[in-house]
Amino acid sequence: MSDATADEARTGDGTRAVRAGLPEPVKHEPTLPGPVFAAHFHLPGEVTGPYSYGRDDNPTWTLLERAIAELEAPGQENVETLVFASGMAAISAVLFSQLRAGDAVVLPSDGYQVLPLVRAQLESYGIEVRTAPTAGDAQLEVLEGARLLWIESPSNPGLDVCDIRRLVEAAHAGGTLVAVDNTLATPLGQRPLELGADFSVASGTKQLTGHGDVLLGYVTGRDAEAMAAVRRWRKIVGAISGPMEAWLAHRSIATLQLRVDRQDTSALRVAEALRQRPEVSGLRYPGLPDDPSHKIAAQQMSRYGCVVSFTLPTRARAERFLEALRLVEDATSFGGVRSTAERRRRWGGDAVPEGFIRMSVGAEDPEDLIADLLRALGESAE
């Protein structure tokens, strides 16, 4: 291990998050330069250098991409990150840059609710789509001969976990690429590249940026050829992040460890409190020692996320519960500093009960959150 790698290995998550991607200090210049708003750059003569046109690259993206790469793969060389306009733009870039007509891809059957739309689009291009649930490593059963395996662990919204190392080993033995959606875990909770994956993909809209004011996605990978194809796809479709969004994201990463530790610790306390309520069923949180996913999660995750899921007896009960909450906003998405919850079935894309609630635990005082939840459960009873 080189001295530089050794120093990096000793760096804690908080230090890394605060300093990730910062440029070398220059006297009288800001420590984090402001966003660069430019559609084009001065470019006399031959096309050389990193910046020529705003759809291809931007100095603000560069700093953010370096920061995310440092978080996703600390101490690893030859790792590249590309940022996108949203998480779905990042997901699409991997799928459509790596797959061709006649290929097969394995998707989770219990993943993000937009994946059925993705499946239909892939199939219209002549790509075979196979699906299997996350739990029990069931994707292994349909893996043979696939070009790409897409893993979502923990799954959204059911919070099932698969053994990423096991799936990666089986996939690579058959020449299959592996992409892991790392949105829910964040790089501080799980590092897919260290588990052997080829791509770590995420929506930076969620806990990575954490304030509910930025749409962003990213892809991190170490294979230069594969990442060149992802970059080419970004250029073709123009699914680029705005410089202001990129700058806000980089600024927000500085507090990532503070937010994650607060939110994830509170999520465990919320789950423990909900477990005591008789009207709550199907409670899931990977950090609970008796959760079905805990054993595997503990082997590959250092933090368990801010999302708790559970089911109330009926749709009406769930809606009354959400309406009675005072500190928790009825909103979609997750990972923000303000707690949110929603009846997930209202979107129609998830195979969950009518009373299924996905809750994202924010940075409020956990005692206040728990009191609000218990009061709303009581008031919502028939």
Side-chain angles (χ1 to χ4, degrees):
M1 181 182 290
S2 68
D3 291 342
T5 303
D7 289 342
E8 185 68 28
R10 288 193 293 267
T11 300
D13 286 340
T15 302
R16 186 177 296 111
V18 167
R19 306 202 62 82
L22 295 182
E24 289 297 319
V26 176
K27 188 174 182 178
H28 305 307
E29 293 293 326
T31 54
L32 177 62
V36 175
F37 298 103
H40 57 265
F41 300 82
H42 289 295
L43 196 66
E46 296 297 321
V47 179
T48 59
Y51 307 111
S52 57
Y53 186 63
R55 190 180 69 250
D56 296 333
D57 233 322
N58 179 289
T60 310
W61 303 351
T62 300
L63 297 179
L64 174 60
E65 289 169 343
R66 290 175 184 169
I68 294 172
E70 290 172 26
L71 296 176
E72 282 281 353
Q76 296 187 37
E77 298 180 358
N78 303 319
V79 170
E80 181 181 6
T81 292
L82 296 170
V83 294
F84 289 82
S86 69
M88 280 309 305
I91 290 171
S92 299
V94 173
L95 291 171
F96 293 105
S97 70
Q98 304 302 312
L99 297 170
R100 304 289 185 272
D103 286 342
V105 60
V106 177
L107 301 179
S109 59
D110 55 342
Y112 181 47
Q113 55 115 356
V114 179
L115 288 182
L117 296 177
V118 173
R119 174 177 186 164
Q121 194 65 46
L122 289 167
E123 289 176 337
S124 75
Y125 291 157
I127 296 165
E128 178 190 354
V129 179
R130 308 169 189 166
T131 62
T134 299
D137 301 341
Q139 288 176 301
L140 288 174
E141 299 173 9
V142 294
L143 184 59
E144 186 175 356
R147 165 66 178 164
L148 176 67
L149 167 63
W150 191 274
I151 294 171
E152 190 176 298
S153 182
S155 62
N156 173 26
L159 303 182
D160 276 318
V161 170
C162 62
D163 187 334
I164 295 176
R165 287 188 185 91
R166 182 186 180 202
L167 268 66
V168 166
E169 289 175 3
H172 285 174
T176 302
L177 295 170
V178 180
V180 176
D181 187 327
N182 204 37
T183 302
L184 201 146
T186 81
L188 268 59
Q190 179 174 268
R191 295 193 171 109
L193 297 189
E194 292 183 357
L195 299 173
D198 300 287
F199 302 100
S200 181
V201 188
S203 168
T205 307
K206 312 299 194 298
Q207 200 172 18
L208 185 82
T209 57
H211 291 78
D213 53 9
V214 171
L215 284 173
L216 189 90
Y218 69 85
V219 178
T220 301
R222 66 165 59 86
D223 183 270
E225 184 177 350
M227 289 302 292
V230 174
R231 179 183 290 274
R232 185 166 57 251
W233 179 263
R234 184 178 69 174
K235 178 182 177 72
I236 291 168
V237 300
I240 59 172
S241 171
M244 189 65 190
E245 285 79 6
W247 183 84
L248 285 169
H250 198 170
R251 176 216 57 178
S252 299
I253 284 174
T255 62
L256 178 61
Q257 187 254 1
L258 299 173
R259 292 184 283 105
V260 164
D261 280 353
R262 171 64 170 236
Q263 292 172 252
D264 294 12
T265 300
S266 296
L268 178 59
R269 292 187 58 183
V270 164
E272 291 170 338
L274 290 172
R275 186 167 52 180
Q276 308 304 316
R277 297 292 298 208
E279 66 270 57
V280 170
S281 64
L283 176 69
R284 297 299 304 272
Y285 182 68
L288 286 170
D290 59 351
D291 187 273
S293 293
H294 180 73
K295 182 178 179 180
I296 298 174
Q299 295 171 3
Q300 62 192 25
M301 300 180 72
S302 55
R303 296 172 175 88
Y304 299 108
C306 63
V307 176
V308 177
S309 68
F310 57 96
T311 300
L312 295 178
T314 64
R315 169 178 175 171
R317 178 69 185 275
E319 290 175 344
R320 290 196 303 270
F321 165 72
L322 293 169
E323 187 175 354
L325 291 168
R326 296 171 185 166
L327 295 179
V328 182
E329 301 171 358
D330 190 341
T332 195
S333 197
F334 58 84
V337 292
R338 291 177 293 280
S339 293
T340 61
E342 68 172 338
R343 191 180 68 83
R344 193 64 187 167
R345 186 66 180 272
R346 66 181 177 175
W347 295 98
D350 295 310
V352 295
E354 288 285 359
F356 181 95
I357 302 291
R358 185 185 71 182
M359 179 180 179
S360 172
V361 177
E364 300 91 349
D365 289 310
E367 297 83 3
D368 295 338
L369 270 181
I370 292 169
D372 191 38
L373 290 166
L374 299 183
R375 178 195 52 75
L377 284 171
E379 291 183 6
S380 64
E382 293 180 351

